[in-house]
């Protein structure tokens, strides 16, 4: 049974240096979200600020309290002073201490901000988790309303901060409804789940056809680990051949997964087999390898007399 795939344009995911850069907190209700927008999804107030900004404000507030405490000590010293000289000394000492404290705080603001961030993540872990669950519910609601693209993008934004197979499979389920193109902003490694799932196998096969440079170690290892299950799929053989075609683009993958490549080399399109053939024939270390023998056998069976493959691998004879 085939389903009609939608031709859509996927929004580009804004990738940040740190996973929590997109996490925001509402200054009114103190709830968290990773979704874009000005209004808090919980209370509706326009009071969302990045969690890093919130942590910096907390760090500045803490530092201001330290300054006020130093000022209070200075005032107390002045009050208890009995002579003018003691008052002057107290004022000067206090002023110097406050000045030094301010200079030190300016240098320590970044470290203190990180400390406050760590404290937030520890004390508000439950609230942050509840916020990400609410974000995922918002995405599901969008999908049920027919807004597949918006819902997928919301799930994708949540997945930057939340990592679990349930969320990955939700994204894969939506992606199978879209007609994917090479110019789209797509993910692969971040969608790989722990156990075998046909959705992921089909998606890897699709990516291997349209953006083979995205098929890297994790995807290849997943396919090899689940090869028997993939072969049982209606499109299983095509998936495995497509992944082999993608692996052939780099000699490192051919060297790391020779058994896998050998199993499906015969079924590669001519241009991909030719690439693999030339890769092996140009490497003296592969001269007498099982890979070289297999490829020469295939060459003589399928491409004998084809000038693109000449010369044959020297020293390898086929009986």
């Amino acid at each position: 049974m085939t389903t009609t795939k939608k031709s859509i344009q996927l929004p580009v995911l804004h990738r940040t240096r740190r996973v929590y850069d997109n996490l925001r907190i509402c200054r009114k209700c103190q709830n968290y979200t990773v979704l874009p927008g000005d209004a808090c999804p919980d209370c509706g107030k326009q009071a969302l600020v990045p969690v890093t900004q919130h942590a910096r404000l907390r760090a500045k507030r803490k530092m201001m309290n330290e300054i006020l405490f130093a000022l209070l000590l200075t005032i107390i010293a002045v009050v208890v002073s009995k002579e003018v000289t003691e008052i002057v000394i107290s004022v000067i000492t206090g002023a110097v201490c406050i000045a030094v404290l301010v200079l030190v705080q300016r240098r320590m603001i970044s470290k203190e901000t990180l400390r406050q961030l760590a404290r937030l993540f520890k004390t508000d872990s439950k609230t942050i988790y509840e916020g990400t669950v609410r974000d995922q519910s918002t995405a599901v609601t969008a999908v049920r309303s027919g807004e597949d693209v918006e819902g997928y993008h919301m799930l994708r934004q949540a997945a930057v901060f939340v990592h679990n197979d349930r969320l990955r499979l939700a994204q894969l389920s939506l992606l199978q409804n879209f007609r994917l193109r090479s110019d789209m902003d797509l993910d692969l490694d971040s969608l790989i789940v722990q156990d075998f799932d046909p959705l992921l196998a089909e998606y890897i096969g699709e990516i291997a056809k349209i953006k083979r440079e995205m098929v890297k170690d994790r995807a290849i290892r997943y396919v090899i680990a689940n090869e028997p299950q993939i072969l049982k799929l209606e499109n299983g053989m095509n998936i495995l051949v497509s992944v082999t075609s993608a692996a052939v683009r780099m000699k490192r993958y051919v060297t790391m997964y020779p058994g896998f490549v050998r199993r499906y080399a015969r079924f590669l399109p001519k241009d991909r087999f030719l690439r693999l053939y030339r890769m092996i024939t140009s490497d003296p270390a592969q001269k007498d390898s099982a890979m070289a023998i297999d490829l020469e056998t295939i060459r003589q069976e399928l491409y004998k007399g084809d000038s693109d493959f000449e010369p044959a691998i020297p020293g390898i004879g086929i009986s």
Side-chain angles (χ1 to χ4, degrees):
M1 180 179 177
T2 58
T3 56
T4 303
K5 293 181 179 289
K6 301 177 183 178
S7 296
I8 51 92
Q9 183 62 49
L10 288 179
V12 176
L13 179 66
H14 176 61
R15 293 173 172 81
T16 58
R17 187 165 61 91
R18 297 158 302 195
V19 296
Y20 55 78
D21 282 343
N22 286 332
L23 183 65
R24 295 182 298 165
I25 182 174
C26 178
R27 290 175 296 176
K28 297 295 184 181
C29 65
Q30 300 299 299
N31 282 311
Y32 292 83
T33 182
V34 293
L35 299 182
D38 298 326
C40 172
D42 192 58
C43 69
K45 301 292 185 182
Q46 308 255 338
L48 291 173
V49 294
V51 68
T52 49
Q53 180 181 329
H54 184 68
R56 190 176 182 86
L57 290 173
R58 286 178 54 143
K60 288 182 176 180
R61 191 178 301 118
K62 179 176 178 293
M63 290 178 171
M64 179 58 67
N65 290 336
E66 291 172 350
I67 293 173
L68 292 175
F69 182 70
L71 180 59
L72 177 61
L73 291 179
T74 301
I75 293 173
I76 292 174
V78 170
V79 170
V80 301
S81 296
K82 297 179 180 180
E83 298 180 0
V84 175
T85 303
E86 292 178 350
I87 294 175
V88 172
I89 292 174
S90 297
V91 171
I92 294 175
T93 303
V96 171
C97 288
I98 291 173
V100 171
L101 179 60
V102 170
L103 290 175
V104 171
Q105 287 179 343
R106 286 181 179 177
R107 293 191 175 188
M108 295 295 293
I109 183 66
S110 296
K111 290 184 178 179
E112 184 59 34
T113 298
L114 290 176
R115 193 175 294 113
Q116 292 296 326
L117 259 178
R119 187 173 298 173
L120 271 176
F121 292 146
K122 183 178 181 180
T123 59
D124 291 6
S125 59
K126 182 179 179 181
T127 308
I128 293 172
Y129 173 76
E130 290 172 349
T132 58
V133 170
R134 185 167 45 249
D135 289 342
Q136 294 172 54
S137 297
T138 302
V140 171
T141 300
V143 172
R144 289 174 177 172
S145 300
E147 300 174 346
D148 290 4
V149 176
E150 292 79 359
Y152 166 74
H153 192 53
M154 289 179 187
L155 289 175
R156 196 180 184 196
Q157 289 168 313
V160 173
F161 196 79
V162 181
H163 308 285
N164 61 57
D165 284 356
R166 182 169 173 267
L167 185 52
R168 294 183 183 103
L169 290 174
Q171 294 177 77
L172 289 167
S173 179
L174 287 171
L175 283 167
Q176 73 171 344
N177 298 323
F178 305 148
R179 183 173 291 111
L180 305 181
R181 304 187 308 274
S182 60
D183 63 332
M184 287 180 171
D185 181 31
L186 299 169
D187 297 314
L188 179 53
D189 280 2
S190 63
L191 293 175
I192 294 178
V193 298
Q194 184 173 356
D195 300 319
F196 172 71
D197 193 280
L199 285 176
L200 178 57
E202 294 282 357
Y203 181 68
I204 292 175
E206 184 72 13
I207 292 295
K209 288 191 293 184
I210 65 172
K211 295 186 80 167
R212 61 170 64 110
E213 69 277 5
M214 290 180 63
V215 179
K216 301 177 183 177
D217 287 290
R218 287 192 65 192
I220 297 174
R221 288 198 299 268
Y222 180 87
V223 167
I224 293 174
N226 297 285
E227 191 175 343
Q229 294 97 315
I230 294 175
L231 278 171
K232 294 177 182 178
L233 299 177
E234 182 179 354
N235 193 40
M237 190 63 178
N238 290 335
I239 293 172
L240 294 168
V241 173
S242 296
V243 173
T244 305
S245 295
V248 165
R249 81 182 191 280
M250 291 184 67
K251 186 175 181 179
R252 181 169 71 87
Y253 297 146
V254 174
T255 304
M256 290 179 65
Y257 314 107
F260 176 70
V261 173
R262 286 172 58 200
R263 283 195 292 278
Y264 302 100
R266 174 181 300 274
F267 308 102
L268 291 174
K270 178 186 173 181
D271 64 315
R272 305 309 292 167
F273 179 79
L274 179 60
R275 177 181 177 83
L276 175 61
Y277 182 85
R278 288 175 174 172
M279 185 186 297
I280 298 301
T281 58
S282 64
D283 184 358
Q286 294 278 356
K287 179 181 178 182
D288 298 316
S289 67
M291 174 79 77
I293 295 173
D294 281 359
L295 295 184
E296 181 60 16
T297 300
I298 297 170
R299 183 195 73 83
Q300 292 206 25
E301 290 181 6
L302 302 181
Y303 303 104
K304 189 173 183 179
D306 192 323
S307 59
D308 289 336
F309 290 86
E310 298 299 338
I313 303 178
I316 296 180
I318 305 298
S319 57

